[in-house]
PDB file of all heavy atoms in Angstrom:
ATOM      1  N   TYR A   1      -1.301 -18.740  -7.557  1.00 97.00           N
ATOM      2  CA  TYR A   1      -0.527 -17.572  -7.116  1.00 97.00           C
ATOM      3  C   TYR A   1       0.042 -16.723  -8.252  1.00 97.00           C
ATOM      4  O   TYR A   1       0.500 -15.604  -8.001  1.00 97.00           O
ATOM      5  CB  TYR A   1       0.632 -18.027  -6.226  1.00 97.00           C
ATOM      6  CG  TYR A   1       0.198 -18.711  -4.957  1.00 97.00           C
ATOM      7  CD1 TYR A   1       0.481 -20.047  -4.737  1.00 97.00           C
ATOM      8  CD2 TYR A   1      -0.495 -18.010  -3.973  1.00 97.00           C
ATOM      9  CE1 TYR A   1       0.100 -20.683  -3.556  1.00 97.00           C
ATOM     10  CE2 TYR A   1      -0.883 -18.625  -2.795  1.00 97.00           C
ATOM     11  CZ  TYR A   1      -0.588 -19.971  -2.588  1.00 97.00           C
ATOM     12  OH  TYR A   1      -0.982 -20.592  -1.425  1.00 97.00           O
ATOM     13  N   GLY A   2       0.055 -17.224  -9.476  1.00 96.00           N
ATOM     14  CA  GLY A   2       0.606 -16.463 -10.589  1.00 96.00           C
ATOM     15  C   GLY A   2       2.071 -16.767 -10.834  1.00 96.00           C
ATOM     16  O   GLY A   2       2.779 -17.275  -9.947  1.00 96.00           O
ATOM     17  N   LEU A   3       2.537 -16.423 -12.020  1.00 95.00           N
ATOM     18  CA  LEU A   3       3.904 -16.715 -12.432  1.00 95.00           C
ATOM     19  C   LEU A   3       4.918 -15.699 -11.928  1.00 95.00           C
ATOM     20  O   LEU A   3       6.109 -15.962 -11.929  1.00 95.00           O
ATOM     21  CB  LEU A   3       3.985 -16.761 -13.963  1.00 95.00           C
ATOM     22  CG  LEU A   3       3.453 -18.018 -14.662  1.00 95.00           C
ATOM     23  CD1 LEU A   3       3.309 -17.769 -16.152  1.00 95.00           C
ATOM     24  CD2 LEU A   3       4.378 -19.209 -14.408  1.00 95.00           C
ATOM     25  N   ASN A   4       4.460 -14.525 -11.531  1.00 95.00           N
ATOM     26  CA  ASN A   4       5.386 -13.470 -11.126  1.00 95.00           C
ATOM     27  C   ASN A   4       4.761 -12.632 -10.013  1.00 95.00           C
ATOM     28  O   ASN A   4       3.587 -12.797  -9.657  1.00 95.00           O
ATOM     29  CB  ASN A   4       5.760 -12.592 -12.331  1.00 95.00           C
ATOM     30  CG  ASN A   4       4.527 -12.093 -13.081  1.00 95.00           C
ATOM     31  OD1 ASN A   4       3.610 -11.534 -12.473  1.00 95.00           O
ATOM     32  ND2 ASN A   4       4.495 -12.290 -14.390  1.00 95.00           N
ATOM     33  N   GLU A   5       5.557 -11.726  -9.463  1.00 96.00           N
ATOM     34  CA  GLU A   5       5.099 -10.944  -8.320  1.00 96.00           C
ATOM     35  C   GLU A   5       3.934 -10.027  -8.671  1.00 96.00           C
ATOM     36  O   GLU A   5       3.069  -9.763  -7.827  1.00 96.00           O
ATOM     37  CB  GLU A   5       6.260 -10.114  -7.761  1.00 96.00           C
ATOM     38  CG  GLU A   5       7.312 -10.941  -7.031  1.00 96.00           C
ATOM     39  CD  GLU A   5       8.307 -10.083  -6.272  1.00 96.00           C
ATOM     40  OE1 GLU A   5       8.020  -8.880  -6.075  1.00 96.00           O
ATOM     41  OE2 GLU A   5       9.363 -10.607  -5.881  1.00 96.00           O
ATOM     42  N   GLU A   6       3.892  -9.543  -9.931  1.00 97.00           N
ATOM     43  CA  GLU A   6       2.795  -8.659 -10.319  1.00 97.00           C
ATOM     44  C   GLU A   6       1.465  -9.412 -10.285  1.00 97.00           C
ATOM     45  O   GLU A   6       0.452  -8.896  -9.769  1.00 97.00           O
ATOM     46  CB  GLU A   6       3.037  -8.100 -11.723  1.00 97.00           C
ATOM     47  CG  GLU A   6       4.178  -7.096 -11.807  1.00 97.00           C
ATOM     48  CD  GLU A   6       5.551  -7.751 -11.768  1.00 97.00           C
ATOM     49  OE1 GLU A   6       5.625  -8.981 -11.985  1.00 97.00           O
ATOM     50  OE2 GLU A   6       6.552  -7.046 -11.510  1.00 97.00           O
ATOM     51  N   ALA A   7       1.463 -10.626 -10.826  1.00 97.00           N
ATOM     52  CA  ALA A   7       0.229 -11.418 -10.807  1.00 97.00           C
ATOM     53  C   ALA A   7      -0.147 -11.806  -9.382  1.00 97.00           C
ATOM     54  O   ALA A   7      -1.321 -11.769  -8.999  1.00 97.00           O
ATOM     55  CB  ALA A   7       0.404 -12.672 -11.667  1.00 97.00           C
ATOM     56  N   THR A   8       0.856 -12.167  -8.576  1.00 98.00           N
ATOM     57  CA  THR A   8       0.582 -12.514  -7.181  1.00 98.00           C
ATOM     58  C   THR A   8      -0.019 -11.323  -6.441  1.00 98.00           C
ATOM     59  O   THR A   8      -0.989 -11.463  -5.686  1.00 98.00           O
ATOM     60  CB  THR A   8       1.873 -12.968  -6.472  1.00 98.00           C
ATOM     61  OG1 THR A   8       2.463 -14.044  -7.198  1.00 98.00           O
ATOM     62  CG2 THR A   8       1.591 -13.427  -5.054  1.00 98.00           C
ATOM     63  N   GLY A   9       0.544 -10.147  -6.678  1.00 98.00           N
ATOM     64  CA  GLY A   9       0.024  -8.943  -6.023  1.00 98.00           C
ATOM     65  C   GLY A   9      -1.414  -8.657  -6.399  1.00 98.00           C
ATOM     66  O   GLY A   9      -2.198  -8.159  -5.574  1.00 98.00           O
ATOM     67  N   ALA A  10      -1.798  -8.986  -7.631  1.00 98.00           N
ATOM     68  CA  ALA A  10      -3.163  -8.704  -8.084  1.00 98.00           C
ATOM     69  C   ALA A  10      -4.200  -9.572  -7.370  1.00 98.00           C
ATOM     70  O   ALA A  10      -5.348  -9.148  -7.204  1.00 98.00           O
ATOM     71  CB  ALA A  10      -3.262  -8.901  -9.591  1.00 98.00           C
ATOM     72  N   VAL A  11      -3.813 -10.788  -6.962  1.00 98.00           N
ATOM     73  CA  VAL A  11      -4.796 -11.670  -6.334  1.00 98.00           C
ATOM     74  C   VAL A  11      -4.714 -11.640  -4.805  1.00 98.00           C
ATOM     75  O   VAL A  11      -5.547 -12.253  -4.128  1.00 98.00           O
ATOM     76  CB  VAL A  11      -4.646 -13.127  -6.835  1.00 98.00           C
ATOM     77  CG1 VAL A  11      -4.950 -13.207  -8.322  1.00 98.00           C
ATOM     78  CG2 VAL A  11      -3.272 -13.706  -6.528  1.00 98.00           C
ATOM     79  N   ARG A  12      -3.740 -10.927  -4.251  1.00 98.00           N
ATOM     80  CA  ARG A  12      -3.623 -10.823  -2.793  1.00 98.00           C
ATOM     81  C   ARG A  12      -4.541  -9.750  -2.228  1.00 98.00           C
ATOM     82  O   ARG A  12      -4.734  -8.691  -2.835  1.00 98.00           O
ATOM     83  CB  ARG A  12      -2.184 -10.499  -2.393  1.00 98.00           C
ATOM     84  CG  ARG A  12      -1.222 -11.648  -2.520  1.00 98.00           C
ATOM     85  CD  ARG A  12       0.181 -11.257  -2.112  1.00 98.00           C
ATOM     86  NE  ARG A  12       0.249 -10.814  -0.702  1.00 98.00           N
ATOM     87  CZ  ARG A  12       1.371 -10.461  -0.102  1.00 98.00           C
ATOM     88  NH1 ARG A  12       2.523 -10.493  -0.780  1.00 98.00           N
ATOM     89  NH2 ARG A  12       1.370 -10.079   1.163  1.00 98.00           N
ATOM     90  N   ALA A  13      -5.072 -10.026  -1.024  1.00 98.00           N
ATOM     91  CA  ALA A  13      -5.901  -9.036  -0.345  1.00 98.00           C
ATOM     92  C   ALA A  13      -5.044  -8.031   0.428  1.00 98.00           C
ATOM     93  O   ALA A  13      -5.533  -6.957   0.792  1.00 98.00           O
ATOM     94  CB  ALA A  13      -6.850  -9.735   0.619  1.00 98.00           C
ATOM     95  N   PHE A  14      -3.787  -8.375   0.714  1.00 98.00           N
ATOM     96  CA  PHE A  14      -2.873  -7.567   1.531  1.00 98.00           C
ATOM     97  C   PHE A  14      -3.487  -7.254   2.894  1.00 98.00           C
ATOM     98  O   PHE A  14      -3.377  -6.147   3.430  1.00 98.00           O
ATOM     99  CB  PHE A  14      -2.459  -6.282   0.802  1.00 98.00           C
ATOM    100  CG  PHE A  14      -1.556  -6.561  -0.373  1.00 98.00           C
ATOM    101  CD1 PHE A  14      -2.057  -6.559  -1.668  1.00 98.00           C
ATOM    102  CD2 PHE A  14      -0.223  -6.862  -0.179  1.00 98.00           C
ATOM    103  CE1 PHE A  14      -1.235  -6.854  -2.747  1.00 98.00           C
ATOM    104  CE2 PHE A  14       0.612  -7.145  -1.257  1.00 98.00           C
ATOM    105  CZ  PHE A  14       0.107  -7.149  -2.543  1.00 98.00           C
ATOM    106  N   ASP A  15      -4.128  -8.267   3.419  1.00 98.00           N
ATOM    107  CA  ASP A  15      -4.751  -8.167   4.738  1.00 98.00           C
ATOM    108  C   ASP A  15      -4.791  -9.567   5.346  1.00 98.00           C
ATOM    109  O   ASP A  15      -5.447 -10.464   4.805  1.00 98.00           O
ATOM    110  CB  ASP A  15      -6.170  -7.598   4.629  1.00 98.00           C
ATOM    111  CG  ASP A  15      -6.860  -7.492   5.992  1.00 98.00           C
ATOM    112  OD1 ASP A  15      -6.153  -7.431   7.013  1.00 98.00           O
ATOM    113  OD2 ASP A  15      -8.105  -7.495   6.017  1.00 98.00           O
ATOM    114  N   GLY A  16      -4.039  -9.783   6.405  1.00 98.00           N
ATOM    115  CA  GLY A  16      -4.080 -11.058   7.096  1.00 98.00           C
ATOM    116  C   GLY A  16      -3.512 -12.220   6.318  1.00 98.00           C
ATOM    117  O   GLY A  16      -3.805 -13.380   6.627  1.00 98.00           O
ATOM    118  N   GLY A  17      -2.678 -11.933   5.304  1.00 98.00           N
ATOM    119  CA  GLY A  17      -2.088 -13.002   4.502  1.00 98.00           C
ATOM    120  C   GLY A  17      -3.044 -13.657   3.532  1.00 98.00           C
ATOM    121  O   GLY A  17      -2.714 -14.683   2.933  1.00 98.00           O
ATOM    122  N   LEU A  18      -4.218 -13.066   3.322  1.00 98.00           N
ATOM    123  CA  LEU A  18      -5.273 -13.699   2.530  1.00 98.00           C
ATOM    124  C   LEU A  18      -5.153 -13.411   1.039  1.00 98.00           C
ATOM    125  O   LEU A  18      -4.550 -12.420   0.615  1.00 98.00           O
ATOM    126  CB  LEU A  18      -6.644 -13.214   3.008  1.00 98.00           C
ATOM    127  CG  LEU A  18      -7.004 -13.487   4.468  1.00 98.00           C
ATOM    128  CD1 LEU A  18      -8.315 -12.784   4.823  1.00 98.00           C
ATOM    129  CD2 LEU A  18      -7.094 -14.983   4.730  1.00 98.00           C
ATOM    130  N   LEU A  19      -5.752 -14.288   0.251  1.00 98.00           N
ATOM    131  CA  LEU A  19      -6.025 -14.032  -1.152  1.00 98.00           C
ATOM    132  C   LEU A  19      -7.409 -13.389  -1.266  1.00 98.00           C
ATOM    133  O   LEU A  19      -8.295 -13.661  -0.449  1.00 98.00           O
ATOM    134  CB  LEU A  19      -6.002 -15.332  -1.959  1.00 98.00           C
ATOM    135  CG  LEU A  19      -4.647 -16.031  -2.074  1.00 98.00           C
ATOM    136  CD1 LEU A  19      -4.824 -17.451  -2.609  1.00 98.00           C
ATOM    137  CD2 LEU A  19      -3.699 -15.249  -2.971  1.00 98.00           C
ATOM    138  N   LYS A  20      -7.595 -12.537  -2.265  1.00 98.00           N
ATOM    139  CA  LYS A  20      -8.899 -11.918  -2.480  1.00 98.00           C
ATOM    140  C   LYS A  20      -9.954 -12.991  -2.735  1.00 98.00           C
ATOM    141  O   LYS A  20      -9.691 -13.981  -3.435  1.00 98.00           O
ATOM    142  CB  LYS A  20      -8.857 -10.974  -3.679  1.00 98.00           C
ATOM    143  CG  LYS A  20      -7.988  -9.744  -3.476  1.00 98.00           C
ATOM    144  CD  LYS A  20      -7.905  -8.927  -4.760  1.00 98.00           C
ATOM    145  CE  LYS A  20      -7.001  -7.708  -4.588  1.00 98.00           C
ATOM    146  NZ  LYS A  20      -6.814  -6.973  -5.858  1.00 98.00           N
ATOM    147  N   SER A  21     -11.125 -12.793  -2.170  1.00 98.00           N
ATOM    148  CA  SER A  21     -12.191 -13.765  -2.381  1.00 98.00           C
ATOM    149  C   SER A  21     -13.543 -13.094  -2.210  1.00 98.00           C
ATOM    150  O   SER A  21     -13.641 -11.945  -1.766  1.00 98.00           O
ATOM    151  CB  SER A  21     -12.054 -14.936  -1.392  1.00 98.00           C
ATOM    152  OG  SER A  21     -12.285 -14.513  -0.064  1.00 98.00           O
ATOM    153  N   GLN A  22     -14.577 -13.848  -2.566  1.00 97.00           N
ATOM    154  CA  GLN A  22     -15.955 -13.401  -2.398  1.00 97.00           C
ATOM    155  C   GLN A  22     -16.797 -14.615  -2.010  1.00 97.00           C
ATOM    156  O   GLN A  22     -16.384 -15.763  -2.231  1.00 97.00           O
ATOM    157  CB  GLN A  22     -16.493 -12.798  -3.698  1.00 97.00           C
ATOM    158  CG  GLN A  22     -16.524 -13.797  -4.850  1.00 97.00           C
ATOM    159  CD  GLN A  22     -17.204 -13.260  -6.100  1.00 97.00           C
ATOM    160  OE1 GLN A  22     -18.124 -12.455  -6.015  1.00 97.00           O
ATOM    161  NE2 GLN A  22     -16.750 -13.724  -7.265  1.00 97.00           N
ATOM    162  N   LEU A  23     -17.957 -14.376  -1.427  1.00 96.00           N
ATOM    163  CA  LEU A  23     -18.890 -15.456  -1.126  1.00 96.00           C
ATOM    164  C   LEU A  23     -19.948 -15.525  -2.222  1.00 96.00           C
ATOM    165  O   LEU A  23     -20.555 -14.513  -2.584  1.00 96.00           O
ATOM    166  CB  LEU A  23     -19.557 -15.222   0.228  1.00 96.00           C
ATOM    167  CG  LEU A  23     -18.671 -15.377   1.465  1.00 96.00           C
ATOM    168  CD1 LEU A  23     -19.477 -15.095   2.742  1.00 96.00           C
ATOM    169  CD2 LEU A  23     -18.071 -16.774   1.533  1.00 96.00           C
ATOM    170  N   VAL A  24     -20.130 -16.732  -2.773  1.00 95.00           N
ATOM    171  CA  VAL A  24     -21.161 -16.984  -3.777  1.00 95.00           C
ATOM    172  C   VAL A  24     -21.949 -18.204  -3.310  1.00 95.00           C
ATOM    173  O   VAL A  24     -21.382 -19.290  -3.154  1.00 95.00           O
ATOM    174  CB  VAL A  24     -20.556 -17.251  -5.172  1.00 95.00           C
ATOM    175  CG1 VAL A  24     -21.671 -17.474  -6.194  1.00 95.00           C
ATOM    176  CG2 VAL A  24     -19.645 -16.114  -5.602  1.00 95.00           C
ATOM    177  N   ASP A  25     -23.236 -18.012  -3.040  1.00 90.00           N
ATOM    178  CA  ASP A  25     -24.091 -19.092  -2.540  1.00 90.00           C
ATOM    179  C   ASP A  25     -23.483 -19.771  -1.313  1.00 90.00           C
ATOM    180  O   ASP A  25     -23.526 -21.001  -1.164  1.00 90.00           O
ATOM    181  CB  ASP A  25     -24.351 -20.139  -3.635  1.00 90.00           C
ATOM    182  CG  ASP A  25     -25.166 -19.569  -4.788  1.00 90.00           C
ATOM    183  OD1 ASP A  25     -25.856 -18.550  -4.577  1.00 90.00           O
ATOM    184  OD2 ASP A  25     -25.112 -20.151  -5.892  1.00 90.00           O
ATOM    185  N   GLY A  26     -22.867 -18.973  -0.462  1.00 92.00           N
ATOM    186  CA  GLY A  26     -22.326 -19.495   0.787  1.00 92.00           C
ATOM    187  C   GLY A  26     -20.941 -20.085   0.696  1.00 92.00           C
ATOM    188  O   GLY A  26     -20.368 -20.491   1.715  1.00 92.00           O
ATOM    189  N   GLY A  27     -20.360 -20.164  -0.495  1.00 95.00           N
ATOM    190  CA  GLY A  27     -19.021 -20.717  -0.673  1.00 95.00           C
ATOM    191  C   GLY A  27     -18.022 -19.636  -1.044  1.00 95.00           C
ATOM    192  O   GLY A  27     -18.378 -18.620  -1.656  1.00 95.00           O
ATOM    193  N   GLU A  28     -16.751 -19.851  -0.687  1.00 97.00           N
ATOM    194  CA  GLU A  28     -15.699 -18.868  -0.971  1.00 97.00           C
ATOM    195  C   GLU A  28     -15.122 -19.118  -2.359  1.00 97.00           C
ATOM    196  O   GLU A  28     -14.739 -20.244  -2.699  1.00 97.00           O
ATOM    197  CB  GLU A  28     -14.594 -18.968   0.085  1.00 97.00           C
ATOM    198  CG  GLU A  28     -13.558 -17.859  -0.006  1.00 97.00           C
ATOM    199  CD  GLU A  28     -12.530 -17.914   1.115  1.00 97.00           C
ATOM    200  OE1 GLU A  28     -12.350 -19.000   1.704  1.00 97.00           O
ATOM    201  OE2 GLU A  28     -11.904 -16.871   1.383  1.00 97.00           O
ATOM    202  N   PHE A  29     -15.053 -18.065  -3.158  1.00 98.00           N
ATOM    203  CA  PHE A  29     -14.550 -18.134  -4.533  1.00 98.00           C
ATOM    204  C   PHE A  29     -13.651 -16.931  -4.800  1.00 98.00           C
ATOM    205  O   PHE A  29     -13.718 -15.923  -4.083  1.00 98.00           O
ATOM    206  CB  PHE A  29     -15.721 -18.116  -5.534  1.00 98.00           C
ATOM    207  CG  PHE A  29     -16.549 -19.368  -5.536  1.00 98.00           C
ATOM    208  CD1 PHE A  29     -17.593 -19.528  -4.638  1.00 98.00           C
ATOM    209  CD2 PHE A  29     -16.268 -20.400  -6.424  1.00 98.00           C
ATOM    210  CE1 PHE A  29     -18.360 -20.690  -4.631  1.00 98.00           C
ATOM    211  CE2 PHE A  29     -17.025 -21.566  -6.426  1.00 98.00           C
ATOM    212  CZ  PHE A  29     -18.067 -21.714  -5.522  1.00 98.00           C
ATOM    213  N   PRO A  30     -12.835 -16.996  -5.857  1.00 98.00           N
ATOM    214  CA  PRO A  30     -12.100 -15.796  -6.266  1.00 98.00           C
ATOM    215  C   PRO A  30     -13.083 -14.711  -6.697  1.00 98.00           C
ATOM    216  O   PRO A  30     -14.214 -15.010  -7.115  1.00 98.00           O
ATOM    217  CB  PRO A  30     -11.256 -16.283  -7.455  1.00 98.00           C
ATOM    218  CG  PRO A  30     -11.231 -17.770  -7.351  1.00 98.00           C
ATOM    219  CD  PRO A  30     -12.516 -18.165  -6.715  1.00 98.00           C
ATOM    220  N   PRO A  31     -12.688 -13.459  -6.636  1.00 98.00           N
ATOM    221  CA  PRO A  31     -13.559 -12.392  -7.162  1.00 98.00           C
ATOM    222  C   PRO A  31     -13.655 -12.492  -8.675  1.00 98.00           C
ATOM    223  O   PRO A  31     -12.869 -13.190  -9.325  1.00 98.00           O
ATOM    224  CB  PRO A  31     -12.842 -11.116  -6.727  1.00 98.00           C
ATOM    225  CG  PRO A  31     -11.414 -11.510  -6.544  1.00 98.00           C
ATOM    226  CD  PRO A  31     -11.427 -12.943  -6.099  1.00 98.00           C
ATOM    227  N   TYR A  32     -14.626 -11.797  -9.244  1.00 97.00           N
ATOM    228  CA  TYR A  32     -14.772 -11.808 -10.698  1.00 97.00           C
ATOM    229  C   TYR A  32     -13.719 -10.910 -11.350  1.00 97.00           C
ATOM    230  O   TYR A  32     -13.378  -9.840 -10.833  1.00 97.00           O
ATOM    231  CB  TYR A  32     -16.172 -11.363 -11.099  1.00 97.00           C
ATOM    232  CG  TYR A  32     -17.228 -12.379 -10.733  1.00 97.00           C
ATOM    233  CD1 TYR A  32     -18.266 -12.055  -9.862  1.00 97.00           C
ATOM    234  CD2 TYR A  32     -17.172 -13.680 -11.235  1.00 97.00           C
ATOM    235  CE1 TYR A  32     -19.226 -12.999  -9.518  1.00 97.00           C
ATOM    236  CE2 TYR A  32     -18.119 -14.629 -10.900  1.00 97.00           C
ATOM    237  CZ  TYR A  32     -19.147 -14.280 -10.027  1.00 97.00           C
ATOM    238  OH  TYR A  32     -20.090 -15.224  -9.680  1.00 97.00           O
ATOM    239  N   LEU A  33     -13.213 -11.366 -12.482  1.00 97.00           N
ATOM    240  CA  LEU A  33     -12.134 -10.669 -13.187  1.00 97.00           C
ATOM    241  C   LEU A  33     -12.615  -9.406 -13.876  1.00 97.00           C
ATOM    242  O   LEU A  33     -11.888  -8.406 -13.941  1.00 97.00           O
ATOM    243  CB  LEU A  33     -11.519 -11.625 -14.223  1.00 97.00           C
ATOM    244  CG  LEU A  33     -10.409 -11.092 -15.116  1.00 97.00           C
ATOM    245  CD1 LEU A  33      -9.136 -10.880 -14.310  1.00 97.00           C
ATOM    246  CD2 LEU A  33     -10.145 -12.068 -16.274  1.00 97.00           C
ATOM    247  N   CYS A  34     -13.824  -9.458 -14.413  1.00 97.00           N
ATOM    248  CA  CYS A  34     -14.310  -8.390 -15.300  1.00 97.00           C
ATOM    249  C   CYS A  34     -15.591  -7.745 -14.779  1.00 97.00           C
ATOM    250  O   CYS A  34     -16.323  -8.310 -13.963  1.00 97.00           O
ATOM    251  CB  CYS A  34     -14.578  -8.942 -16.699  1.00 97.00           C
ATOM    252  SG  CYS A  34     -13.134  -9.591 -17.545  1.00 97.00           S
ATOM    253  N   GLU A  35     -15.850  -6.586 -15.313  1.00 96.00           N
ATOM    254  CA  GLU A  35     -17.119  -5.900 -15.098  1.00 96.00           C
ATOM    255  C   GLU A  35     -17.542  -5.303 -16.429  1.00 96.00           C
ATOM    256  O   GLU A  35     -16.785  -4.560 -17.050  1.00 96.00           O
ATOM    257  CB  GLU A  35     -16.967  -4.814 -14.032  1.00 96.00           C
ATOM    258  CG  GLU A  35     -18.282  -4.190 -13.623  1.00 96.00           C
ATOM    259  CD  GLU A  35     -18.123  -3.257 -12.431  1.00 96.00           C
ATOM    260  OE1 GLU A  35     -16.978  -2.892 -12.109  1.00 96.00           O
ATOM    261  OE2 GLU A  35     -19.138  -2.912 -11.832  1.00 96.00           O
ATOM    262  N   GLN A  36     -18.728  -5.699 -16.905  1.00 96.00           N
ATOM    263  CA  GLN A  36     -19.234  -5.289 -18.213  1.00 96.00           C
ATOM    264  C   GLN A  36     -18.227  -5.614 -19.325  1.00 96.00           C
ATOM    265  O   GLN A  36     -18.004  -4.830 -20.247  1.00 96.00           O
ATOM    266  CB  GLN A  36     -19.584  -3.800 -18.216  1.00 96.00           C
ATOM    267  CG  GLN A  36     -20.712  -3.475 -17.246  1.00 96.00           C
ATOM    268  CD  GLN A  36     -21.107  -2.009 -17.276  1.00 96.00           C
ATOM    269  OE1 GLN A  36     -20.361  -1.165 -17.775  1.00 96.00           O
ATOM    270  NE2 GLN A  36     -22.278  -1.706 -16.741  1.00 96.00           N
ATOM    271  N   GLY A  37     -17.596  -6.788 -19.194  1.00 96.00           N
ATOM    272  CA  GLY A  37     -16.703  -7.291 -20.236  1.00 96.00           C
ATOM    273  C   GLY A  37     -15.289  -6.747 -20.198  1.00 96.00           C
ATOM    274  O   GLY A  37     -14.441  -7.180 -20.977  1.00 96.00           O
ATOM    275  N   ALA A  38     -15.008  -5.808 -19.316  1.00 96.00           N
ATOM    276  CA  ALA A  38     -13.663  -5.215 -19.223  1.00 96.00           C
ATOM    277  C   ALA A  38     -12.975  -5.688 -17.945  1.00 96.00           C
ATOM    278  O   ALA A  38     -13.613  -5.792 -16.889  1.00 96.00           O
ATOM    279  CB  ALA A  38     -13.751  -3.697 -19.239  1.00 96.00           C
ATOM    280  N   VAL A  39     -11.689  -5.962 -18.049  1.00 97.00           N
ATOM    281  CA  VAL A  39     -10.924  -6.388 -16.875  1.00 97.00           C
ATOM    282  C   VAL A  39     -10.884  -5.245 -15.859  1.00 97.00           C
ATOM    283  O   VAL A  39     -10.593  -4.091 -16.206  1.00 97.00           O
ATOM    284  CB  VAL A  39      -9.493  -6.795 -17.280  1.00 97.00           C
ATOM    285  CG1 VAL A  39      -8.652  -7.128 -16.043  1.00 97.00           C
ATOM    286  CG2 VAL A  39      -9.521  -7.985 -18.231  1.00 97.00           C
TER     287      VAL A  39
END
């Protein structure tokens, strides 16, 4: 969940109480942090 509200807000989906996630090979995982090496 993160150490503070800013970090918590970054990983929340703000929809249905969920954390952000993605499906990879049929399993639920966090989304990727970076794109082309940049956050």
